[in-house]
Structures are given as structure tokens and as C-alpha cells.
Amino acid sequence: MSGGSLSLALAGKPNAGKSTFFHAATLADVEVGNYPFTTIDPNRGVTHVRTDCPCLDREHRCDSENCHDGIRFVPVELLDVAGLVPGAHEGRGLGNQFLDALSNADAVLNVVDASGGTNAEGEPIEQGSYDPVKDVDFIREEMDLWLAGIINRNFEGVERRSRSPNFDLEDALTELLGDLGASDAAVAATLRSIDYPDDPLSWDDDDRERLARELRARTKPILVVANKADIADPATIDRLREAADRVIPATAQGELALRRAADAGAIEYEPGDESFTVLESVTDEQKAGLERIETVLERFGNTGIQQALNEAVYEMLEYFTSYPVQNENNWTDGQDRMLPDAFLLEEGATPLDLAYAVHSDIGEGYLHAIDARENRRISDGHELDEGDVVKIISTAS
């Protein structure tokens, strides 16, 4: 048991490098090509966010296969959605099908061709002849208008219900938006943040669009991945950073090359590292390629792929990693394995939330919890933090 149901989606226009990002992050085989809609059905794979493992505070490293000498990789689902084109929310380029595929994602990584080598439709053009800043708002706008369209099409049901004497608008909207994957808490926070008519019969398209934009921002935050940053004009990277709240320069092709070289034993490299070490002799062509990637690492600090994943999960979504154990002294499970499991939890999560993340039976039988670092009992309302090691006492244990 590791990870959880956290899901990230890659979105963007065709040929921006989404499938290369997906391959580099998951090492899963996907179709990659220079033509629109290379990806028709969404690719689903497992990637990982990177954090320090608590075993660094012990005398020896833990037993998890996801711990590489104290670097802990925690599983996250990654979804590669087909390239979107302008007008996708109206169905252009199978747009509605692809936007529907984003509905279960917790956050969206908007992969932009920072080199300016693809036009608005994702068609290859001369590098630098298109302004990638135009693509920053593109995905957000398409998602907002797609969501507004769904709300518009289903709003008639809310209007009908408003005629009943015990009608509650917030309840009706919570039910409507819940069908789109929004939690009750997200809907309540959204409604608190906007002004809207009390009578649904008085709502117009602007009211519904305002609701859609605010809900999307809360439930599908977007991070911009400035891909192909290694061949992009540095001034363009700066303008992208000015145009969006969160921008990570990246080279998916560079990360994929490093992952393949590490897999082949040619180099020593972990995703997110600031450098790599050549372990065996390589051809002149391979050496030249690695030197080009080394230049990128010196410029940006890393390839940006792991940084984008970490930024989305730990910073944008504000998740943290917690480690359940059965033995609070040795930090082991029932099979005497040290720190075998890691769970991503939302900020503010308590020991009870961790118990339910482990298994619903553990949560239902929850009695209390012990902070294994301090070897002391903690309250049910105690908010856990990154790297906490916790023993859950449950009737189902």
C-alpha cells in the first residue's frame, strides 16, 4: 500500500511534448509523433513525487523499493490527455472527449512549447515564430468554458427544483457540481467567494460562467510546464514566468534521455537530481548528448520534470507525505519491513485521515495514534506534517 488516488493530468496543444513528458516521468511506452492527436485515448501511468525519506534519521536505510538511499519516491497517477486545440470546449478536435478525461484529475500540468516551434493548432513551424505566452491562458480558458457549458446544460434541473417549497439553492448546486467531481467543501468555498442571484431563474450565462471559472480554479489548479526550455529564448522563459503564477522550465526530452541512460547503467542519476555521473564509456554521440543536457542542468538546476511534479503535489495542492507503521520503535510493519508504505495526504489531515488512507476498516476501527518519532500519543485532531511516522491503533489492526 503506497501513494493514494492523487491524479495529475498533462494537457496542452498537440506536439508540445506531453507524451514525451509522460514517457520520461513514467518510463511507460507511449506513441510519440509530430502530428495532431497522436494520443487519442488518454494514457494512464504511475509517476512519483520525490521527498526525503524518514529513514535518513535512522542508522540504516529502509526496506521500501521506492527509497533510493534516502530519496523517497511516492506514487502518483499521471494522465496524458490528447492535444487540445482552440475551440476544444465546443467539440473541436474531439475536444469534449479530451476535456472529459481531465475531470478526475486533481491538478493539470499545462505543457507549453516554450521554443515557439508549434502554432496555435500544434502544427510544427519555424522555431521562435510563435509566441508561447499565448498558450498560458489557452488551457485554462478551454477548461473554464467547457465546465460552464456543462453547468449551462444541467442548470434547468436546478431551475425546476427551485419551484418546490423546501428548495435550497446551495444544496442544489452542491449536487450539480458534485456530479462533476467537486467536493462539498470545494462547492461551499466557491459559492462563498462569488456573488450570485438567490433565485436560479434570475441567473444568466455570466453568472454560470463565473461559477465555472471559480470552481475550476479551486478544483483543477494549473501549473505551466515550459517544455523545450533548452532550445527556447531565455527572454521567452522570463515572459512565461510573468504570464502565469506557476511556471517550471523543463526539457522532457532531456529527462527521458537521462532516465534511459540510467536504466542502461551508463550513468548514475535519480529523477530531480541536479547532476549525473557517467559510469561507463559512451559513444561520441552519446557524450555530446549528455554534455548538452549537462548544460541544461547547469542553467536550470534540473530537467524540470521532477520539479513540476513536486511543485504540483507539494506546493500547489499542498499535500504532504506520512508513513504508517505498526512498530513505533523500529518503524516497521507486521513483516518487520522498515517504512514500507507512504501516503500523500492533504494539508490539515489528521491521524484518522491517515487511518482511512491505509484502509477503510482501519479508519472505522480507529482508536488512537502514536507519533513514532517522539514515541508519544497524539490527539485525534493533531495535524500531521511532512515526514511524520505514525502508529495507528485500531480494532482492525
Side-chain angles (χ1 to χ4, degrees), residues 252-313:
Q253 196 65 55
E255 175 71 10
L256 181 57
L258 291 179
R259 294 292 302 272
R260 283 173 168 166
D263 253 20
I267 65 171
E268 184 178 301
Y269 172 76
E270 296 286 359
D273 279 356
E274 297 179 355
S275 61
F276 59 87
T277 303
V278 178
L279 298 177
E280 59 181 41
S281 60
V282 293
T283 65
D284 289 343
E285 183 180 359
Q286 290 170 327
K287 182 180 179 181
L290 289 172
E291 286 175 349
R292 284 195 299 272
I293 298 172
E294 196 168 32
T295 302
V296 175
L297 296 179
E298 290 171 356
R299 179 179 167 194
F300 295 111
N302 51 57
T303 66
I305 302 304
Q306 190 64 57
Q307 187 182 1
L309 296 168
N310 272 36
E311 177 84 8
V313 173

Coordinates of all heavy atoms in Angstrom, one line a residue, residues 252-313:
A252 N 11.6 17.7 -21.4 CA 11.2 16.4 -21.3 C 12.1 15.4 -22.0 O 12.3 14.3 -21.6 CB 9.7 16.2 -21.8
Q253 N 12.6 15.9 -23.2 CA 13.5 15.0 -24.0 C 14.8 14.8 -23.2 O 15.3 13.7 -23.2 CB 13.8 15.7 -25.3 CG 14.4 14.8 -26.4 CD 13.4 13.7 -26.8 OE1 12.3 14.0 -27.2 NE2 13.8 12.5 -26.7
G254 N 15.3 15.8 -22.5 CA 16.5 15.6 -21.7 C 16.3 14.7 -20.6 O 17.1 13.8 -20.3
E255 N 15.2 14.8 -19.9 CA 14.9 13.9 -18.8 C 14.7 12.4 -19.3 O 15.3 11.5 -18.7 CB 13.6 14.3 -18.1 CG 13.1 13.3 -17.0 CD 14.0 13.3 -15.7 OE1 14.9 14.2 -15.6 OE2 13.8 12.5 -14.9
L256 N 14.1 12.3 -20.4 CA 13.9 10.9 -21.0 C 15.3 10.3 -21.3 O 15.5 9.1 -21.1 CB 13.0 11.0 -22.2 CG 12.7 9.6 -22.9 CD1 12.1 8.6 -21.9 CD2 11.8 9.9 -24.1
A257 N 16.1 11.1 -21.9 CA 17.5 10.6 -22.2 C 18.2 10.2 -21.0 O 18.9 9.1 -21.0 CB 18.3 11.7 -23.0
L258 N 18.1 11.0 -19.9 CA 18.8 10.6 -18.7 C 18.2 9.4 -18.0 O 19.0 8.5 -17.5 CB 18.7 11.8 -17.7 CG 19.5 13.1 -18.0 CD1 19.3 14.1 -17.0 CD2 21.0 12.7 -18.2
R259 N 16.9 9.3 -18.1 CA 16.3 8.1 -17.5 C 16.7 6.8 -18.2 O 16.9 5.8 -17.6 CB 14.7 8.2 -17.5 CG 14.1 9.3 -16.6 CD 14.3 9.0 -15.1 NE 13.7 7.8 -14.7 CZ 12.4 7.6 -14.3 NH1 11.6 8.7 -14.4 NH2 11.9 6.5 -13.9
R260 N 16.7 6.9 -19.5 CA 17.1 5.8 -20.4 C 18.6 5.4 -20.1 O 18.9 4.2 -20.0 CB 16.9 6.1 -21.8 CG 15.5 6.0 -22.3 CD 15.3 6.5 -23.7 NE 14.0 6.1 -24.2 CZ 13.5 6.7 -25.4 NH1 14.2 7.6 -26.1 NH2 12.3 6.3 -25.8
A261 N 19.4 6.4 -20.0 CA 20.9 6.2 -19.8 C 21.1 5.5 -18.4 O 21.9 4.6 -18.2 CB 21.7 7.5 -19.9
A262 N 20.3 6.0 -17.4 CA 20.4 5.5 -16.0 C 19.9 4.0 -16.0 O 20.5 3.1 -15.4 CB 19.6 6.3 -15.1
D263 N 18.8 3.8 -16.7 CA 18.3 2.4 -16.8 C 19.3 1.4 -17.5 O 19.3 0.3 -17.1 CB 17.0 2.4 -17.6 CG 15.8 2.2 -16.8 OD1 15.9 2.4 -15.6 OD2 14.7 1.8 -17.3
A264 N 20.0 2.0 -18.4 CA 21.0 1.1 -19.1 C 22.3 1.0 -18.3 O 23.2 0.2 -18.7 CB 21.3 1.7 -20.5
G265 N 22.4 1.7 -17.2 CA 23.6 1.6 -16.4 C 24.7 2.5 -16.8 O 25.9 2.4 -16.3
A266 N 24.5 3.4 -17.8 CA 25.5 4.2 -18.3 C 25.8 5.4 -17.4 O 27.0 5.9 -17.4 CB 25.1 4.7 -19.7
I267 N 24.8 5.8 -16.7 CA 25.0 7.0 -15.8 C 24.4 6.7 -14.4 O 23.5 5.8 -14.3 CB 24.5 8.3 -16.3 CG1 22.9 8.2 -16.5 CG2 25.1 8.7 -17.7 CD1 22.3 9.6 -16.8
E268 N 24.8 7.4 -13.4 CA 24.1 7.4 -12.1 C 23.2 8.6 -12.0 O 23.8 9.8 -12.1 CB 25.1 7.3 -11.0 CG 24.5 7.2 -9.6 CD 25.5 7.1 -8.5 OE1 26.4 6.2 -8.6 OE2 25.5 8.0 -7.6
Y269 N 21.9 8.5 -11.9 CA 21.0 9.6 -12.0 C 19.7 9.2 -11.3 O 19.1 8.2 -11.6 CB 20.8 10.1 -13.4 CG 19.7 11.2 -13.5 CD1 20.0 12.5 -13.2 CD2 18.4 10.8 -14.0 CE1 19.0 13.5 -13.3 CE2 17.4 11.8 -14.1 CZ 17.7 13.1 -13.8 OH 16.7 14.1 -13.9
E270 N 19.2 10.1 -10.5 CA 17.8 9.9 -9.9 C 17.0 11.1 -10.4 O 17.5 12.2 -10.5 CB 17.8 9.9 -8.4 CG 18.6 8.8 -7.8 CD 17.8 7.5 -7.8 OE1 16.7 7.5 -8.4 OE2 18.3 6.4 -7.4
P271 N 15.7 10.9 -10.8 CA 14.9 12.0 -11.2 C 14.9 13.1 -10.2 O 14.7 12.9 -9.0 CB 13.5 11.3 -11.3 CG 13.8 9.9 -11.6 CD 15.0 9.6 -10.8
G272 N 15.2 14.3 -10.7 CA 15.2 15.5 -9.8 C 16.6 15.9 -9.4 O 16.8 17.0 -8.9
D273 N 17.6 15.0 -9.7 CA 19.0 15.3 -9.4 C 19.5 16.6 -10.2 O 19.0 16.8 -11.3 CB 19.9 14.2 -9.7 CG 19.9 13.1 -8.6 OD1 19.2 13.3 -7.6 OD2 20.6 12.0 -8.9
E274 N 20.4 17.3 -9.6 CA 21.0 18.5 -10.2 C 22.1 18.1 -11.2 O 22.6 19.0 -11.9 CB 21.5 19.5 -9.2 CG 20.3 20.0 -8.3 CD 20.9 20.9 -7.2 OE1 22.1 21.1 -7.1 OE2 20.0 21.5 -6.5
S275 N 22.6 16.9 -11.1 CA 23.7 16.4 -11.9 C 23.6 14.9 -12.1 O 22.8 14.2 -11.5 CB 25.0 16.8 -11.3 OG 25.2 16.2 -10.1
F276 N 24.5 14.4 -12.9 CA 24.6 12.9 -13.1 C 26.1 12.5 -13.2 O 26.9 13.4 -13.5 CB 23.9 12.5 -14.4 CG 24.3 13.1 -15.6 CD1 25.4 12.6 -16.4 CD2 23.7 14.3 -16.1 CE1 25.8 13.2 -17.6 CE2 24.2 14.9 -17.3 CZ 25.2 14.3 -18.0
T277 N 26.3 11.3 -13.0 CA 27.7 10.8 -13.1 C 27.8 9.7 -14.2 O 27.0 8.7 -14.1 CB 28.1 10.2 -11.7 OG1 28.0 11.2 -10.7 CG2 29.6 9.7 -11.8
V278 N 28.7 9.8 -15.1 CA 28.9 8.8 -16.1 C 29.7 7.6 -15.5 O 30.7 7.8 -14.9 CB 29.7 9.4 -17.3 CG1 29.9 8.3 -18.4 CG2 29.0 10.6 -17.9
L279 N 29.1 6.4 -15.7 CA 29.6 5.2 -15.0 C 30.5 4.4 -16.0 O 31.3 3.6 -15.6 CB 28.5 4.4 -14.5 CG 27.7 5.0 -13.4 CD1 26.5 4.1 -12.9 CD2 28.5 5.4 -12.2
E280 N 30.2 4.5 -17.3 CA 30.9 3.6 -18.3 C 31.1 4.4 -19.5 O 30.6 5.5 -19.7 CB 30.1 2.3 -18.6 CG 28.7 2.6 -19.2 CD 27.9 1.3 -19.4 OE1 28.0 0.4 -18.6 OE2 27.3 1.3 -20.5
S281 N 32.0 3.9 -20.4 CA 32.3 4.6 -21.6 C 31.1 4.7 -22.5 O 30.3 3.8 -22.6 CB 33.5 3.9 -22.3 OG 33.1 2.6 -22.7
V282 N 31.0 5.9 -23.1 CA 29.9 6.1 -24.0 C 30.4 6.5 -25.4 O 31.6 7.0 -25.5 CB 28.9 7.2 -23.5 CG1 28.2 6.8 -22.2 CG2 29.7 8.5 -23.2
T283 N 29.6 6.4 -26.4 CA 30.0 6.8 -27.7 C 30.1 8.4 -27.8 O 29.6 9.1 -26.9 CB 29.0 6.4 -28.8 OG1 27.7 7.1 -28.6 CG2 28.7 4.9 -28.7
D284 N 30.8 8.8 -28.8 CA 31.0 10.3 -29.0 C 29.6 11.0 -29.1 O 29.4 12.1 -28.6 CB 31.8 10.6 -30.3 CG 33.3 10.2 -30.1 OD1 33.7 10.0 -28.9 OD2 34.0 10.1 -31.1
E285 N 28.7 10.3 -29.8 CA 27.3 10.9 -30.0 C 26.6 11.0 -28.6 O 26.0 12.0 -28.3 CB 26.5 10.0 -30.9 CG 25.1 10.6 -31.2 CD 24.3 9.7 -32.2 OE1 24.9 8.7 -32.6 OE2 23.2 10.1 -32.5
Q286 N 26.7 9.9 -27.8 CA 26.1 9.9 -26.5 C 26.7 10.9 -25.6 O 26.1 11.6 -24.8 CB 26.2 8.5 -25.9 CG 25.3 7.4 -26.5 CD 25.7 6.0 -26.0 OE1 26.8 5.7 -25.7 NE2 24.7 5.2 -25.9
K287 N 28.1 11.0 -25.7 CA 28.8 12.0 -24.9 C 28.3 13.4 -25.2 O 28.1 14.2 -24.3 CB 30.3 11.9 -25.1 CG 31.1 12.8 -24.3 CD 32.6 12.7 -24.6 CE 33.4 13.6 -23.7 NZ 34.9 13.5 -24.0
A288 N 28.2 13.7 -26.5 CA 27.7 15.0 -26.9 C 26.3 15.3 -26.4 O 26.0 16.4 -26.0 CB 27.7 15.1 -28.5
G289 N 25.5 14.3 -26.5 CA 24.1 14.5 -26.0 C 24.1 14.7 -24.5 O 23.3 15.6 -24.0
L290 N 24.9 14.0 -23.7 CA 24.9 14.2 -22.3 C 25.5 15.6 -21.9 O 25.1 16.2 -21.0 CB 25.8 13.1 -21.6 CG 25.1 11.7 -21.6 CD1 26.1 10.6 -21.2 CD2 23.9 11.6 -20.8
E291 N 26.4 16.0 -22.7 CA 27.0 17.3 -22.5 C 26.0 18.4 -22.7 O 25.9 19.4 -22.0 CB 28.2 17.6 -23.4 CG 29.5 16.8 -22.9 CD 30.6 16.9 -23.9 OE1 30.4 17.5 -25.0 OE2 31.8 16.5 -23.5
R292 N 25.1 18.3 -23.7 CA 24.0 19.2 -23.9 C 23.1 19.3 -22.7 O 22.7 20.3 -22.3 CB 23.3 18.9 -25.2 CG 24.0 19.2 -26.5 CD 23.1 19.2 -27.7 NE 22.5 17.9 -27.9 CZ 23.1 17.0 -28.7 NH1 24.2 17.2 -29.2 NH2 22.5 15.8 -28.9
I293 N 22.8 18.1 -22.2 CA 21.8 18.0 -21.1 C 22.5 18.6 -19.8 O 21.9 19.3 -19.0 CB 21.4 16.5 -20.8 CG1 20.6 16.0 -22.0 CG2 20.6 16.4 -19.6 CD1 20.4 14.5 -22.0
E294 N 23.8 18.4 -19.7 CA 24.6 18.9 -18.6 C 24.5 20.5 -18.6 O 24.3 21.1 -17.5 CB 26.0 18.5 -18.6 CG 26.8 18.6 -17.3 CD 28.1 17.9 -17.4 OE1 28.7 17.8 -18.5 OE2 28.6 17.4 -16.3
T295 N 24.5 21.0 -19.7 CA 24.4 22.5 -19.9 C 23.0 22.9 -19.3 O 22.9 24.0 -18.7 CB 24.5 22.9 -21.3 OG1 25.8 22.5 -21.8 CG2 24.4 24.4 -21.5
V296 N 22.0 22.2 -19.7 CA 20.6 22.5 -19.2 C 20.5 22.4 -17.7 O 19.9 23.3 -17.0 CB 19.6 21.5 -19.8 CG1 18.2 21.7 -19.2 CG2 19.6 21.7 -21.3
L297 N 21.2 21.4 -17.1 CA 21.1 21.2 -15.7 C 21.9 22.4 -15.0 O 21.4 22.8 -13.9 CB 21.8 19.9 -15.3 CG 21.1 18.6 -15.7 CD1 21.9 17.4 -15.3 CD2 19.7 18.5 -15.2
E298 N 22.9 22.8 -15.6 CA 23.7 23.9 -15.0 C 22.9 25.2 -15.1 O 22.9 26.1 -14.2 CB 25.0 24.1 -15.8 CG 26.0 23.0 -15.5 CD 27.2 23.1 -16.4 OE1 27.2 24.0 -17.3 OE2 28.2 22.3 -16.2
R299 N 22.0 25.3 -16.1 CA 21.2 26.5 -16.3 C 20.0 26.6 -15.4 O 19.7 27.6 -14.8 CB 20.8 26.6 -17.8 CG 20.0 27.8 -18.1 CD 19.6 27.8 -19.6 NE 18.6 28.8 -20.0 CZ 17.9 28.8 -21.1 NH1 18.3 27.9 -22.1 NH2 17.0 29.7 -21.3
F300 N 19.3 25.5 -15.4 CA 18.0 25.4 -14.6 C 18.1 24.7 -13.3 O 17.1 24.8 -12.5 CB 16.9 24.8 -15.5 CG 16.6 25.6 -16.8 CD1 16.9 25.2 -18.0 CD2 16.0 26.9 -16.7 CE1 16.7 25.9 -19.1 CE2 15.7 27.6 -17.8 CZ 16.0 27.1 -19.0
G301 N 19.1 23.9 -13.0 CA 19.2 23.2 -11.8 C 18.8 21.8 -11.9 O 19.2 20.9 -11.1
N302 N 17.9 21.5 -12.9 CA 17.4 20.1 -13.1 C 16.6 20.2 -14.5 O 16.5 21.2 -15.1 CB 16.5 19.6 -12.0 CG 15.4 20.6 -11.6 OD1 14.6 21.0 -12.5 ND2 15.4 21.0 -10.4
T303 N 16.1 19.0 -14.9 CA 15.4 19.0 -16.2 C 14.0 19.6 -16.1 O 13.3 19.8 -17.1 CB 15.3 17.5 -16.7 OG1 14.4 16.8 -15.8 CG2 16.6 16.8 -16.8
G304 N 13.5 19.8 -14.9 CA 12.2 20.4 -14.7 C 11.0 19.4 -14.5 O 10.0 19.8 -14.1
I305 N 11.2 18.1 -15.0 CA 10.1 17.2 -14.9 C 9.8 16.8 -13.5 O 8.6 16.9 -13.1 CB 10.5 15.9 -15.7 CG1 10.8 16.3 -17.2 CG2 9.4 14.9 -15.7 CD1 9.7 17.1 -17.9
Q306 N 10.8 16.4 -12.7 CA 10.5 16.1 -11.3 C 10.1 17.3 -10.5 O 9.2 17.3 -9.7 CB 11.7 15.5 -10.7 CG 11.5 14.9 -9.3 CD 10.5 13.7 -9.3 OE1 10.8 12.7 -10.0 NE2 9.4 13.8 -8.6
Q307 N 10.7 18.5 -10.8 CA 10.3 19.7 -10.2 C 8.8 20.0 -10.4 O 8.1 20.5 -9.5 CB 11.2 20.8 -10.6 CG 11.0 22.1 -9.8 CD 11.9 23.3 -10.3 OE1 12.6 23.1 -11.3 NE2 11.8 24.4 -9.7
A308 N 8.4 19.8 -11.7 CA 7.0 20.1 -12.0 C 6.0 19.2 -11.2 O 5.0 19.7 -10.7 CB 6.7 20.0 -13.5
L309 N 6.4 18.0 -11.1 CA 5.5 17.0 -10.4 C 5.5 17.4 -8.9 O 4.4 17.4 -8.3 CB 6.0 15.6 -10.5 CG 6.0 15.0 -12.0 CD1 6.8 13.7 -12.1 CD2 4.6 14.8 -12.4
N310 N 6.6 17.7 -8.3 CA 6.7 18.1 -6.9 C 6.0 19.4 -6.6 O 5.3 19.5 -5.6 CB 8.2 18.2 -6.5 CG 8.7 16.8 -6.0 OD1 8.4 15.8 -6.5 ND2 9.6 16.9 -5.0
E311 N 6.2 20.3 -7.5 CA 5.5 21.6 -7.3 C 4.0 21.5 -7.3 O 3.3 22.1 -6.5 CB 5.9 22.6 -8.5 CG 5.3 23.9 -8.5 CD 5.9 24.9 -7.5 OE1 7.0 24.6 -7.0 OE2 5.3 26.0 -7.3
A312 N 3.5 20.6 -8.3 CA 2.1 20.4 -8.4 C 1.5 19.8 -7.1 O 0.5 20.2 -6.6 CB 1.7 19.6 -9.6
V313 N 2.2 18.8 -6.6 CA 1.7 18.0 -5.5 C 1.9 18.7 -4.1 O 1.0 18.9 -3.3 CB 2.2 16.6 -5.5 CG1 1.8 15.8 -4.2 CG2 1.7 15.8 -6.7

